[in-house]
């Protein structure tokens, strides 16, 4: 039941009682929650006793310490000093350096370790000098052959001179971006579109790096460019289709040119080889004819000398050699009897020479084949009309 409910509490008093006023309600014997003012007063008295203050009477008849205000001031000063000391002490890592300015002027460069500076008369700039940083850029560039190309670029750099980085240039990284844009436009304006799109990108990237580093050294920014990477360049989106058509046409042109060069490289050496072979054959034939003529002339001179010694023997020898050469090159022989009484016979020596190996191989298996061939003359052997006998000069 609530304390102020009708009929529940006739005295209409606080159930917690009035401890300070000494009320006689039902809750007068209980202890209520502590008074906030009293708690603050006790804390202030303790602080005053700690700093040696004097007590003075308060409105309730108590005594306050005379030096409470001074104690609070000292506490505030101590807190401010602790905060200042916390900010003044700093740690520099192994990969970092710190530059300290005293009254706006360079004072020192601090290495790794625990250090202290004195703000506000000192200012500290602490940076990582070993980590490589990256800056990316993409823009449209006008090439030497008056083509617009979008070139994406990434610059990797690090801080090598922290003093120059802090003091010489305001916003050195912004200056790096402007210098990169200037170097890229200069190099792209001196290069063709094919160099930016194909294998010439590495050379363009090297030229951009060298020019950019010269700009940064001139500005004394303390920044060193480690690498410049040019990614695959492309034409603007508005003309990408036409640009692709041009690239395909150039590729077709290059392919046709390569095929023509390959055909030329195959035909020209072959023609040169054939011409050289004809020249060599002609030279060989000339040498052969000259050597044969010289040999025939020498042979004739030797025959003349031998003929003068023995004319009859020499004539017989020449006749036999001539007949041997003639019959060895002829496959047809005419035979006639002495006096021209019988008909001449035609002997097919070419057929006989061709059949000789076969007859020799078949003689062991079919010995009767030779008899049949002797009884039945070859159909190519036929009688010829009698011709006048050919006599040599010797018989005449």
């Amino acid at each position: 039941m609530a304390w102020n409910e009708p009929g529940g509490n006739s005295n209409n008093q606080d159930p917690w009682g009035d401890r300070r006023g000494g009320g006689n309600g039902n809750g007068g014997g209980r202890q209520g929650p502590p008074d906030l003012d009293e708690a603050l007063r006790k804390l202030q008295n303790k602080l005053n006793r700690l700093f040696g203050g004097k007590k003075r009477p308060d409105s309730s008849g108590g005594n306050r310490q005379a030096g409470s205000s001074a104690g609070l001031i000292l506490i505030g000063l101590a807190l401010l000093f602790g905060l200042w000391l916390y900010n003044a002490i700093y740690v520099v890592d192994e990969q970092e350096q710190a530059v300290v300015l005293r009254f706006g002027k360079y004072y020192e460069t601090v290495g790794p370790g625990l250090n202290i500076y004195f703000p506000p008369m000192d200012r500290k700039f602490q940076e990582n000098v070993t980590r490589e940083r990256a800056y990316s850029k993409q823009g449209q560039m006008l090439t030497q052959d008056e083509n617009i190309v979008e070139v994406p670029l990434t610059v990797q750099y690090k801080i090598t001179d922290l003093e120059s980085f802090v003091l010489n240039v305001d916003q050195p990284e912004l200056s790096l971006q402007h210098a990169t844009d200037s170097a890229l436009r200069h190099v792209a304006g001196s290069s063709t579109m094919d160099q930016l799109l194909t294998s010439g990108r590495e050379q363009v990237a090297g030229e951009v790096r060298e020019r950019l580093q010269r700009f940064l050294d001139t500005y004394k920014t303390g920044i060193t460019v480690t690498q410049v990477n040019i990614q695959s360049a492309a034409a603007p989106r508005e003309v990408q289709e036409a640009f692709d058509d041009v690239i395909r046409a150039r590729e077709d042109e290059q392919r046709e040119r390569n095929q023509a060069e390959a055909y030329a490289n195959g035909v020209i050496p072959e023609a040169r080889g054939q011409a050289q072979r004809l020249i060599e054959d002609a030279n060989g034939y000339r040498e052969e004819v000259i050597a044969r003529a010289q040999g025939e002339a020498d042979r004739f001179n030797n025959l003349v000398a031998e003929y003068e010694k023995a004319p009859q023997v020499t004539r017989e020898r020449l006749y036999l050699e001539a007949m041997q050469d003639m019959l060895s090159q002829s496959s047809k022989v005419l035979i006639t009897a002495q006096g021209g009484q019988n008909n001449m016979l035609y002997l097919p020596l070419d057929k006989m020479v061709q059949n000789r190996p076969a007859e020799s191989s078949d003689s062991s298996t079919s010995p009767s084949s030779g008899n049949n061939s002797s009884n039945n003359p070859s159909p190519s052997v036929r009688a010829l009309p009698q011709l006048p006998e050919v006599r040599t000069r010797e018989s005449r």
Side-chain angles (χ1 to χ4, degrees):
M1 182 182 295
W3 66 273
N4 58 355
E5 185 177 355
N9 190 357
S10 59
N11 297 327
N12 196 17
Q13 293 180 353
D14 189 353
W16 299 104
D18 190 2
R19 183 171 178 269
R20 290 175 293 180
N24 295 324
N26 293 333
R30 301 178 184 177
Q31 293 182 356
D35 191 0
L36 182 59
D37 293 337
E38 184 179 358
L40 293 176
R41 221 173 16 250
K42 289 180 179 181
L43 177 60
Q44 186 176 6
N45 292 332
K46 290 180 180 180
L47 292 177
N48 289 334
R49 284 196 302 270
L50 179 62
F51 291 99
K54 296 181 180 180
K55 294 183 179 180
R56 61 181 179 180
D58 53 4
S59 59
S60 61
N63 294 324
R64 293 181 179 273
Q65 296 181 357
S68 59
S69 299
L72 293 176
I73 293 174
L74 292 176
I75 292 175
L77 293 177
L79 292 177
L80 291 176
F81 178 77
L83 183 61
W84 176 86
L85 187 63
Y86 177 78
N87 293 328
I89 297 176
Y90 63 97
V91 178
V92 179
D93 294 336
E94 290 292 334
Q95 299 179 352
E96 296 179 340
Q97 289 182 357
V99 171
V100 178
L101 304 181
R102 181 161 294 176
F103 299 108
K105 185 178 180 181
Y106 173 76
Y107 179 68
E108 62 177 348
T109 300
V110 180
L114 184 63
N115 302 278
I116 186 172
Y117 75 112
F118 304 97
M121 61 181 180
D122 289 350
R123 294 179 61 189
K124 173 179 65 71
F125 298 92
Q126 186 173 346
E127 294 289 344
N128 191 323
V129 295
T130 60
R131 178 175 59 88
E132 285 194 357
R133 311 181 185 191
Y135 160 67
S136 299
K137 173 182 174 52
Q138 182 175 359
Q140 295 183 356
M141 305 294 167
L142 183 64
T143 61
Q144 185 179 9
D145 50 0
E146 297 181 356
N147 290 315
I148 299 177
V149 181
E150 290 186 358
V151 182
L153 180 72
T154 301
V155 179
Q156 297 179 358
Y157 66 96
K158 62 181 180 180
I159 301 172
T160 54
D161 189 356
L162 186 57
E163 179 183 354
S164 300
F165 182 82
V166 173
L167 300 178
N168 291 339
V169 179
D170 185 19
Q171 298 181 352
E173 293 183 342
L174 181 60
S175 299
L176 171 65
Q177 298 176 10
H178 294 166
T180 301
D181 187 55
S182 177
L184 179 59
R185 290 188 182 279
H186 185 278
V187 176
S190 303
S191 305
T192 60
M193 182 182 62
D194 294 336
Q195 292 178 348
L196 292 175
L197 297 179
T198 57
S199 59
R201 287 183 297 174
E202 296 182 358
Q203 181 180 359
V204 172
E207 294 179 358
V208 171
R209 178 183 175 277
E210 294 178 359
R211 181 170 293 275
L212 176 58
Q213 189 62 53
R214 287 200 300 267
F215 290 162
L216 297 177
D217 293 341
T218 303
Y219 300 155
K220 297 181 181 180
T221 58
I223 296 176
T224 300
V225 179
T226 58
Q227 190 174 1
V228 174
N229 297 322
I230 296 180
Q231 303 173 3
S232 58
R237 298 178 181 177
E238 295 79 6
V239 295
Q240 185 65 42
E241 295 182 358
F243 190 79
D244 294 338
D245 293 339
V246 173
I247 291 179
R248 284 193 292 268
R250 291 183 178 177
E251 291 177 352
D252 294 340
E253 178 187 2
Q254 187 65 30
R255 184 178 65 254
E256 295 294 338
R257 183 179 298 176
N258 294 335
Q259 293 178 358
E261 291 179 355
Y263 177 75
N265 293 332
V267 171
I268 293 176
E270 183 178 358
R272 290 177 179 175
Q274 292 178 359
Q276 188 66 27
R277 186 185 64 184
L278 293 177
I279 294 173
E280 297 296 333
D281 291 344
N283 293 331
Y285 177 74
R286 182 186 63 184
E287 298 295 335
E288 181 184 0
V289 170
I290 293 174
R292 185 182 293 112
Q294 292 178 353
E296 292 293 337
D298 294 339
R299 179 174 177 272
F300 181 78
N301 293 331
N302 294 332
L303 287 177
V304 169
E306 296 297 330
Y307 183 80
E308 292 177 352
K309 295 178 181 180
Q312 183 65 27
V313 175
T314 304
R315 284 197 301 270
E316 186 69 22
R317 179 183 174 185
L318 292 175
Y319 174 75
L320 293 177
E321 291 180 354
M323 294 301 296
Q324 181 179 359
D325 293 339
M326 182 183 67
L327 294 178
S328 62
Q329 297 178 1
S330 176
S331 61
K332 299 178 179 61
V333 178
L334 299 177
I335 300 176
T336 182
Q338 185 71 26
Q341 298 298 326
N342 297 329
N343 293 331
M344 291 182 294
L345 298 178
Y346 166 70
L347 298 179
L349 296 181
D350 53 348
K351 301 294 183 181
M352 296 173 64
V353 171
Q354 293 178 1
N355 295 330
R356 182 180 299 173
E359 291 177 359
S360 61
S361 62
D362 296 340
S363 60
S364 59
T365 57
S366 58
S368 62
S369 60
N371 297 329
N372 295 331
S373 61
S374 60
N375 296 331
N376 298 326
S378 176
S380 60
V381 179
R382 62 182 182 274
L384 297 177
Q386 186 176 3
L387 296 178
E389 183 181 359
V390 179
R391 298 181 180 180
T392 61
R393 294 175 58 186
E394 182 180 0
S395 62
R396 291 178 183 177

